[in-house]
Amino acid sequence: MRIVVVGGGVLGLCCALELSEAGADVVVLDRDAEPGGASMANAGWVVPVLSAPLAVPGIVASVAKQALRGRSPVAVGPRLTPDLLGWGAKFVRNANPKTHRDGLRALLALGARSAQQFGELAGRGVEFEMHRRGLVIAARTAAGLHEAFELAEAAERAGYTGAYDIHSGGSLRRLEPALADDVAGGVHARDEIHVRPESVVAGLHAALESRGVEVRRRVRVLGVERDGSRWSAVTSAGPERADRVVVAAGAWTGEILRGLGVAVPLQPGKGYSVTATGTGPAPRHAMKLLEANVACTPFAGGLRISGMFELAPGSAAVRERALRKVRREARKYLPGWRPAEPGTRLAGFRPSTPDSLPIIGPVPGADGVFAASGHGMLGLTLAPATAQALAALITTGSAPVDLAPFEVGRFGRRTGAAQVAARFEQGN
């Protein structure tokens, strides 16, 4: 079976590895000149405890309140396109208790073995940097402390089986001495891990190369078309024929699937990161700085600080003003650490659906085409699980986990201009 995988991020590369190991002849098509795409700007967390959908009840009021104070980690770009407005309306409808609770259960079921699966990748010869110190959720206020407890407890109620400890301010500072004296406390999720995304991408590339899987860069896929009994990925370099096509192209997945008539309402949630060496006490744990909604991740030879969620389609260029805001918020929790260099600045687009659940599985009406995208801020956490499930579905006809909540067709069909015209003619 010849399979084209569209997308060279961690998810696409994981899919390619699983499919190759299942016996398929795989080629990966990557639009970027450099490997990894948006995956490279990732915080590197593998954290099922933070699987809660972004569409949480009360989020609109919360973001508005933070925006008035100039502290909101969420921003909307200057151009309000029809697609963005429609996405926003669906997002608000999904921010209700039942949808949020059901989504959390589904995401936890998919990512239940995430840390173990990364360990299995390492055991299969994929080399990458990995740390097993858990995740600290640090809060500076009583309200933030309550929110940190509720995050962990809601995850536990929904099926999270990881171990976590609740800490007062003094106890948390003993665990993580880099934290400021005014930190009120937080949660230590002991079973979570973090990895360096660049090393995961490099390790997957090396593993694929050793299996003879070709990864072609600077190949832009424009669409997917039927080619007799097979399929063609229509690319900037000509058609690429295959028995199956897996579209794992991040924020561009919807564009690629547009011609197949399926609605894939993805919006790019732009995030920023800077990785630098520094002076003073650096954190030993991956940390969620709760009120600021900023991520801090210690790697060998540097600290990564990342944040923001900008619904702003456009350039992947780094906005220095946004990055300065992220670093300024981080200093409130880490007063003793200072960067010793400008560091590596990156920006990336997280593909986000209006119900905060990924799309995984067959594309309706296109037998042989599959999609894997829309993981939002859980792309790294869920990549191995998604790849294993999709590879099993493609090669054996059944997946090891329930993919029904992530159906590609759950948003309905796309109505193009030609379809509207045809319906108008039928109606008259």
Side-chain angles (χ1 to χ4, degrees):
M1 185 187 297
R2 179 163 177 76
I3 301 177
V4 167
V5 175
V6 183
V10 169
L11 179 56
L13 297 176
C14 280
C15 287
L17 181 63
E18 294 295 337
L19 289 164
S20 175
E21 292 189 347
D25 174 21
V26 183
V27 61
V28 179
L29 305 181
D30 186 1
R31 65 181 282 150
D32 295 320
E34 299 297 326
S39 297
M40 306 299 267
N42 196 290
W45 294 357
V46 180
V47 286
V49 72
L50 296 183
S51 291
L54 186 60
V56 61
I59 188 171
V60 176
S62 174
V63 168
K65 185 177 179 180
Q66 289 175 306
L68 288 173
R69 297 175 178 174
R71 293 172 48 193
S72 177
V74 178
V76 179
R79 292 188 300 109
L80 290 177
T81 64
D83 280 350
L84 180 54
L85 287 169
W87 186 96
K90 293 185 179 75
F91 180 87
V92 171
R93 286 199 297 272
N94 281 302
N96 66 78
K98 183 181 186 307
T99 302
H100 183 266
R101 187 169 56 249
D102 291 348
L104 176 56
R105 287 198 187 103
L107 290 168
L108 281 168
L110 178 62
R113 295 180 58 251
S114 292
Q116 183 179 337
Q117 286 164 328
F118 272 93
E120 290 167 358
L121 272 179
R124 287 153 60 186
V126 180
E127 297 182 3
F128 55 92
E129 181 181 334
M130 179 166 57
H131 303 270
R132 297 183 178 275
R133 300 189 190 103
L135 172 79
V136 168
I137 306 173
R140 298 177 68 236
T141 65
L145 192 55
H146 176 76
E147 185 179 344
F149 298 165
E150 179 55 29
L151 275 172
E153 290 170 358
E156 187 176 41
R157 290 193 298 269
Y160 176 68
T161 58
Y164 65 90
D165 300 317
I166 294 173
H167 289 269
S168 65
S171 173
L172 194 63
R173 285 189 294 276
R174 284 192 291 275
L175 176 72
E176 182 47 80
L179 284 167
D181 290 341
D182 63 354
V183 165
V187 172
H188 179 212
R190 301 200 307 267
D191 295 330
E192 315 301 70
I193 67 171
H194 67 273
V195 300
R196 190 154 192 165
E198 309 96 300
S199 70
V200 176
V201 169
L204 287 168
H205 269 278
L208 290 170
E209 184 179 4
S210 72
R211 297 192 61 85
V213 175
E214 184 182 8
V215 179
R216 299 182 197 161
R217 299 199 187 107
R218 295 189 180 92
V219 179
R220 184 179 178 188
V221 176
L222 308 174
V224 181
E225 293 181 350
R226 177 73 72 178
D227 188 354
S229 61
R230 306 176 79 202
W231 290 94
S232 279
V234 181
T235 83
S236 54
E240 186 67 37
R241 295 176 177 85
D243 301 296
R244 304 284 186 271
V245 177
V246 175
V247 183
W252 293 273
T253 297
E255 285 182 27
I256 294 168
L257 296 178
R258 186 181 297 270
L260 298 178
V262 62
V264 183
L266 292 175
Q267 284 294 323
K270 190 176 181 181
Y272 299 89
S273 74
V274 57
T275 308
T277 58
T279 60
R284 299 181 301 196
H285 299 80
M287 292 201 297
K288 177 180 175 67
L289 310 181
L290 194 133
E291 293 88 350
N293 205 24
V294 166
C296 291
T297 316
F299 295 131
L303 177 67
R304 178 164 298 178
I305 300 173
S306 49
M308 292 299 296
F309 188 87
E310 289 185 352
L311 289 167
S315 156
V318 173
R319 272 201 319 118
E320 289 298 330
R321 182 178 177 182
L323 198 52
R324 283 197 301 272
K325 179 179 178 180
V326 171
R327 294 174 75 161
R328 185 172 63 248
E329 290 296 316
R331 280 199 295 270
K332 296 175 183 177
Y333 298 78
L334 303 172
W337 185 85
R338 290 291 183 273
E341 55 171 331
T344 302
R345 294 163 159 80
L346 294 171
F349 292 117
R350 311 177 190 97
S352 304
T353 62
D355 61 5
S356 302
L357 301 183
I359 56 168
I360 308 169
V363 175
D367 186 28
V369 181
F370 298 81
S373 187
H375 293 69
M377 291 183 282
L378 293 171
L380 190 65
T381 294
L382 298 176
T386 298
Q388 289 179 13
L390 199 57
L393 183 64
I394 293 170
T395 58
T396 71
S398 64
V401 295
D402 181 16
L403 295 179
F406 316 115
E407 286 180 340
V408 180
R410 68 183 185 273
F411 298 107
R413 303 290 293 176
R414 175 178 290 279
T415 303
Q419 292 168 294
V420 171
R423 289 180 184 177
F424 179 81
E425 291 295 329
Q426 291 171 2
N428 287 273

